[in-house]
Amino acid sequence: MNQVDHRNTRRDYTRAELRRSDLTAEPAQLLARWLEEAREAGNPDPTAMTLATADADGQPSARIVLFKHFEGEGLCWYTDSRSHKGRDLAENPRAALLFYWPETERQIRVEGSVSALPAELADDYFTQRPGGSRLAAAASLQSQPVDDRATLEQRVKDLEQQYPDGNVPRDPAWIGYRLAPELFEFWQGRASRLHDRFTYHHNGEHWEITRLMP
């Protein structure tokens, strides 16, 4: 393997600062504000977040999913429960989320427990998705092996013939998840790596705010 050396790849962070006076009483409010500011700054996928899970043996894995909405103060997304992440969450229903927006030089970490959303919420969101996305979700047994792309595309064509009106039903395995946050960390990049970091930790009654060293 050719040597790969990025020890001299770096940039400085100078766009903004984060002071305690900038924080909101509820961390979800600040998350919503930062997400909108990332969109306004030109991020093409401001709702993209890394979802980190671990199986029963503690083996971690991570991937990008899309944040969809808050529900009961929890962060929600939708996916196939038969997927790798779905199997992890069935064995170990705790996870971490990470938003990163290079345009605003910000990160948000969220940690907490995960539970499935009611089926009616999954139904409501599934019917809002574009027709092609509904067909893809119904055709795919997410994370399972497939011989080739032609096989996958044929499964979509078969569903198109079966449901010519486009009203393909939601597979019961395609569900919504909600992470109930116990900790938020807000990170604002600063010059010379002297970053601003604040955590919100829920003590069972309210959120406690702490500034962290970078």
Side-chain angles (χ1 to χ4, degrees), residues 22 28 30 43 53 56 73 97 104 117 123 149 151 166 172 180 182 196:
D22 298 321
L30 188 55
N43 189 298
T53 58
E73 300 304 316
L97 303 172
T104 54
L117 290 171
D123 286 333
R149 185 168 181 89
T151 300
E182 299 164 7
D196 289 325

Side-chain angles (χ1 to χ4, degrees), residues 49-54 59-65 84-85 88 96-98:
M49 58 186 185
T50 300
L51 166 64
T53 58
Q59 174 62 46
S61 61
R63 75 290 291 159
I64 301 294
V65 299
H84 187 154
K85 54 189 173 295
D88 277 0
L97 303 172
L98 173 66

Side-chain angles (χ1 to χ4, degrees), residues 143-159:
S143 301
Q144 299 304 307
V146 64
D147 291 336
D148 49 39
R149 185 168 181 89
T151 300
L152 188 59
E153 292 175 348
Q154 185 59 53
R155 289 173 66 90
V156 173
K157 291 177 181 178
D158 291 345
L159 283 170

Side-chain angles (χ1 to χ4, degrees), residues 116-135:
L117 290 171
E120 55 268 25
L121 285 178
D123 286 333
D124 288 344
Y125 176 62
F126 190 78
T127 58
Q128 296 174 28
R129 304 183 87 204
S133 296
R134 296 198 303 271
L135 285 166

